Structure formats: C-alpha cells, structure tokens
C-alpha cells in the first residue's frame, strides 16, 4: 500500500524518486527543510520505506545510502537513446539561438537607454551654445589685444618662476662640484657609478634649464610689447 501523499514517508519517497541518486539522511533532511520535517522523522521514513521495499539502500559502515528502486523506471534501449541524444542536440541548438537573440535584444535596449531624450538634447544644445559664446568673446578679446592676465598677477608668476630657476641653477652647480670631486681620481668610468646610483641629468629626462630661462625672457619681452 502506497503511503498517503501528505505523510512524511510520501514526501520522502517522492523526493528520493525525483532525485534518483544516492542520498543519505542528511541530504534528504537538508533538501526537505521547507516541509518542517525533523531529521529523526526523515530517518524513520527512510528506514520504513527501505524495509517495505519501496526504496533500495546499502550500508557503508555506520552510514546508510538510499536510492530509488531502478525497476520502476523505463530504461531506454539503444535506438531510444540515440533519438534522445538527437533531440537533446536540437534543443541545445535552439537554446544557443535564443541566447543570441536575447543578447541582440539586450544590446538594442542598452543602446536605446544610452540615447539622449529630446529634453536632454535641448539642454545639451543650450550648454554648448553658451560655451561657444564664451569662447567667441574670449577670442575677440585676444584679437583686440586685450590683456587677459593682470600685470600684477603676471609679475608674481614671473618672480616665482625666476626663483625656481635660480634654485635649479644653484643645485645644478652644487651637484657638479661634488660630482667632479668624487669622480676626479676614480679608476672606473664615472658613467658606471652614475648608472649604479640611478642619477639622471636634465637631458636624461628631456628638460633644459636654458630652454626654461629663455621662455621666461620671451614672456617678459612680450609683456613689455603689449
């Protein structure tokens, strides 16, 4: 006699048959938590089903492994297996095609989401017009010879720049004096020591004290000519 569908045995039996794989009582208990069945009740149901011949079991030491009875399932023959494989291959192909279609649709949706709305386009247009107007006004001032930097601000910047150049020149001279003293009587090539210490000259990093000094002088001449 089959157990009633709402009893612990019926719930456990349905689960074991659906899984159709080796299970222990803990596997079943973890999977059937939604039915509020305690592990002791599940163990009792498994043992009862096994004793009644409704499921199979094997003992491995102190642990019992349960599995659905295989004689209740229809086992396909070779022709049926081949047919099932062909149907599975077709389903897999259909699945891949549907995935590609989904990817295309998602791409179209993403593209639509990144497009600006009419209101956003108008706001963007107003902002760009404002920026163009500001640049045109600045260009007019430059063409008219208007000084955009105040003389006092230019003077402050020039003084700072000259101070930095002076420090650069002084440190460059100090290094040369120390380096010449150290390497004067060296038996080895000073270049080897330079590379070993990781020392870099101005030209090694693409800068020139003279070019910066000339730049400041040209700026002074241009300022006097305005």
């Amino acid at each position: 006699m089959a157990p009633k569908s709402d009893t612990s045995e019926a719930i456990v039996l349905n689960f074991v048959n659906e899984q159709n794989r080796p299970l222990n009582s803990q596997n079943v208990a973890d999977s059937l938590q939604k039915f509020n069945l305690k592990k002791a009740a599940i163990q009792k149901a498994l043992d009862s089903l096994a004793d009644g011949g409704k499921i199979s079991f094997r003992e491995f030491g102190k642990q019992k492994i349960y599995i659905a009875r295989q004689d209740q399932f229809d086992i396909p023959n070779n022709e049926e297996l081949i047919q099932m494989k062909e149907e599975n291959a077709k389903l897999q192909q259909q699945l891949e095609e549907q995935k590609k279609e989904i990817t295309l649709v998602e791409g179209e949706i993403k593209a639509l989401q990144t497009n600006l709305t009419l209101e956003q386009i108008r706001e963007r247009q107003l902002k760009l017009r404002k920026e163009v107007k500001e640049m045109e006004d600045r260009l007019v001032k430059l063409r008219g010879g208007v000084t955009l930097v105040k003389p006092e601000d230019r003077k402050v910047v020039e003084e700072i720049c000259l101070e930095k150049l002076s420090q650069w020149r002084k440190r460059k001279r100090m290094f040369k004096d120390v380096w010449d003293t150290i390497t004067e009587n060296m038996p080895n090539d000073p270049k080897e020591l330079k590379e070993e210490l990781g020392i870099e000259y101005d030209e090694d990093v693409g800068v020139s004290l003279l070019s910066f000094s000339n730049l400041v002088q040209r700026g002074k001449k241009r300022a006097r000519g305005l």
Side-chain angles (χ1 to χ4, degrees):
M1 182 177 177
K4 294 182 180 180
S5 60
D6 58 347
T7 63
S8 299
E9 286 189 19
I11 294 172
V12 172
L13 178 60
N14 288 336
F15 176 75
V16 173
N17 286 335
E18 287 175 357
Q19 295 297 307
N20 193 23
R21 62 184 176 88
L23 300 163
N24 60 29
S25 57
Q26 188 62 54
N27 299 144
V28 180
D30 292 341
S31 300
L32 297 181
Q33 289 181 1
K34 61 183 179 180
F35 294 101
N36 296 320
L37 296 177
K38 294 182 179 179
K39 184 179 179 182
I42 289 175
Q43 183 66 66
K44 182 178 179 182
L46 287 168
D47 291 337
S48 176
L49 291 167
D51 292 341
K54 295 181 175 65
I55 62 175
S56 302
F57 79 96
R58 287 194 178 182
E59 293 188 27
F60 295 89
K62 296 182 179 180
Q63 190 176 40
K64 288 183 178 181
I65 301 298
Y66 303 90
I67 191 170
R69 289 186 53 166
Q70 299 303 298
D71 56 6
Q72 64 179 313
F73 301 114
D74 294 330
I75 300 176
N77 56 36
N78 289 338
E79 292 182 359
E80 291 173 334
L81 285 173
I82 293 173
Q83 185 178 358
M84 291 170 65
K85 288 181 180 179
E86 291 175 352
E87 291 178 354
N88 182 61
K90 290 179 181 178
L91 291 173
Q92 288 292 338
Q93 184 177 356
Q94 292 176 6
L95 178 61
E96 291 300 321
E97 291 175 355
Q98 289 179 357
K99 285 182 178 180
K100 290 179 181 178
E101 292 178 1
I102 291 172
T103 302
L104 290 174
V105 172
E106 288 177 344
E108 292 176 359
I109 292 174
K110 187 175 181 180
L112 289 173
Q113 289 175 340
T114 56
N115 290 338
L116 297 176
T117 63
L118 182 59
E119 182 178 356
Q120 290 173 328
I121 292 173
R122 288 173 177 169
E123 291 178 355
R124 179 67 174 163
Q125 185 181 33
L126 290 174
K127 183 180 179 180
L128 290 174
R129 285 180 176 177
K130 183 179 179 182
E131 291 176 357
V132 170
K133 180 68 168 57
E134 291 175 352
M135 287 188 287
E136 287 178 345
D137 292 343
R138 181 180 176 85
L139 183 59
V140 169
K141 291 180 180 179
L142 290 172
R143 286 174 174 171
V146 177
T147 303
L148 299 180
V149 180
K150 296 179 180 178
E152 54 269 27
D153 293 338
R154 179 187 291 274
K155 185 178 180 181
V156 170
V157 173
E158 287 179 349
E159 289 176 352
I160 293 174
C161 188
L162 288 172
E163 171 63 21
K164 299 301 180 184
L165 289 173
S166 176
Q167 291 291 332
W168 185 354
R169 190 176 292 105
K170 185 185 299 183
R171 290 171 187 244
K172 188 179 179 70
R173 185 170 56 253
M174 290 170 60
F175 169 78
K176 186 176 184 306
D177 293 341
V178 172
W179 183 253
D180 289 345
T181 301
I182 293 174
T183 59
E184 183 177 3
N185 297 316
M186 280 186 58
N188 298 331
D189 189 347
K191 290 183 179 180
E192 295 180 1
L193 178 62
K194 171 178 172 288
E195 292 178 0
E196 182 178 350
L197 297 177
I199 297 172
E200 294 179 328
Y201 293 159
D202 293 346
E203 54 270 21
D204 293 333
V205 292
V207 296
S208 168
L209 176 60
L210 180 61
S211 63
F212 279 94
S213 300
N214 293 338
L215 181 64
V216 173
Q217 294 301 324
R218 285 198 300 271
K220 284 185 176 182
K221 292 178 180 178
R222 189 181 297 111
R224 287 195 294 267
L226 293 177

